[in-house]
Amino acid sequence: MATKTVTDASFQADVLDADKPVLVDFWADWCGPCKMIAPALEELSDELSEKVTIAKMDIMENPDVPGKMGVQSIPFLVLFKDGKPVAQQMGAAPKNALKGWLEGEL
């Protein structure tokens, strides 16, 4: 399962009302570290598809949700469970570190 694109308009349905945990990657096209972790997130979306949905939100095209959440630096990863943010990580990390962090939070 590939990562899912989430927008300001779809955030409520795709993230807050989701029936399983959702990891949201707040990113932008001009962000080098965001591009570095993108392949790892795609792989993790396949490996962990039964446990979590991995979503991506472009902060330049969708300023409302990141603004409300206080996103000031990217990449910024937030794990939502039952409509609430339960864990977050700022900055790029290798795939094994991202996977370990995510599995520890699920």
Side-chain angles (χ1 to χ4, degrees):
M1 182 174 138
T3 56
K4 179 176 192 154
T5 300
V6 176
T7 65
D8 283 337
S10 71
F11 188 80
Q12 179 73 41
D14 290 341
V15 178
L16 302 182
D17 296 338
D19 58 356
K20 66 180 175 181
V22 180
L23 177 69
V24 180
D25 171 25
F26 293 95
W27 72 286
D29 190 47
W30 48 261
C31 169
C34 298
K35 291 180 179 180
M36 272 179 27
I37 66 168
L41 293 176
E42 291 293 335
E43 291 174 18
L44 291 173
S45 71
D46 289 334
E47 294 172 21
L48 303 174
S49 64
E50 294 185 17
K51 296 180 183 178
V52 64
T53 298
I54 299 182
K56 297 177 73 68
M57 177 175 268
D58 185 330
I59 65 165
M60 301 306 289
E61 294 178 9
N62 302 283
D64 293 348
V65 170
K68 289 176 187 169
M69 294 199 58
V71 176
Q72 296 180 355
S73 182
I74 55 173
F76 188 60
L77 305 173
V78 181
L79 179 64
F80 289 84
K81 283 186 189 175
D82 300 319
K84 295 179 176 55
V86 296
Q88 61 189 37
Q89 179 168 318
M90 191 179 321
K95 178 186 169 187
N96 61 346
L98 291 172
K99 185 175 184 178
W101 169 74
L102 188 53
E103 287 180 324
E105 298 293 341
L106 290 174

